[in-house]
Every structure is written in structure tokens, then in C-alpha cells.
Amino acid sequence: MDSKLKADGRFWLTLNGRNFLGRGRIELLQRIRETGSISKAARAMKMSYKAAWDAVDAMNNAWSTPLVASGPAGSHLTEDAERLITAFQRAEAQHTRYLAQLADDLTLD
């Protein structure tokens, strides 16, 4: 049998012991940045507006300051949100590299 073992795992940033930012929430933030709208971001991700709003509300309430600011002209990301996106992407890239290295070490010689 010529199967190769692989290490797998999803990457999340936690805050106070709870899942805070994962790939889906990062994508939602990025779509809000692109569209200027929570509803347009939700549509682009094929999710309900309520699910998107609940995710934004949870992130805003968990963080010390809002990550998404909304008003009559739409929604935009705050500086903290932009910094968190960058930090998440760097950490997720390291996580991916680590899993690849771990898989290389999983040989059964």
C-alpha cells in the first residue's frame, strides 16, 4: 500500500478560550472591505444576511473595539480589523507550513 499520512487541522484564533477568527470570518471581513456592505458580502459568500450579521456582531462584541463599522452609507473595516486580517494570514501560513513539515516527518520506515 502506497498511502501517505497527512497531518490535517483547521486554524482558528481564539479569544478568551472561544473561537474568534477562522477562515470563514476572515473571508467575510474581506468581502465587507470589497463591497462596503454586510448584505453584499453575505450574498457573495452564499450565506444569509442574518448569519453574516451574527458573525459581525460576535466579532465586534468580542474585540475591545468594533471591527466593522456600519452606517447609512454602508459598512467598512476598522484599523483593528485590517491588522487582525494580516495577523491571521501570517499565522495561518505558518500553520500550513508546519502541517506540511509534520506530514514529511510521518514516514513509517
Side-chain angles (χ1 to χ4, degrees), residues 2-94:
D2 192 29
S3 298
K4 184 175 180 181
L5 292 172
K6 179 184 171 202
D8 200 3
R10 298 187 100 204
F11 181 74
W12 274 88
L13 293 178
T14 62
L15 184 63
N16 300 323
R18 301 182 76 170
N19 285 352
F20 174 58
L21 285 176
R23 186 175 289 155
R25 285 186 175 182
I26 291 295
E27 181 181 350
L28 178 60
L29 291 172
Q30 291 171 318
R31 300 275 184 151
I32 292 168
R33 179 204 297 137
E34 293 166 8
T35 64
S37 164
I38 295 171
S39 62
K40 288 179 185 174
R43 250 180 273 129
M45 293 179 67
K46 298 184 181 356
M47 69 189 302
S48 72
Y49 173 77
K50 180 171 180 359
W53 173 252
D54 286 347
V56 168
D57 192 46
M59 288 184 285
N60 279 349
N61 288 326
W63 197 245
S64 56
T65 61
L67 302 180
V68 177
S70 296
S75 299
H76 68 276
L77 302 186
T78 63
E79 288 182 28
D80 277 2
E82 296 291 353
R83 286 194 293 269
L84 282 166
I85 290 169
T86 300
F88 179 89
Q89 290 171 330
R90 276 195 320 262
E92 186 182 41
Q94 287 181 302

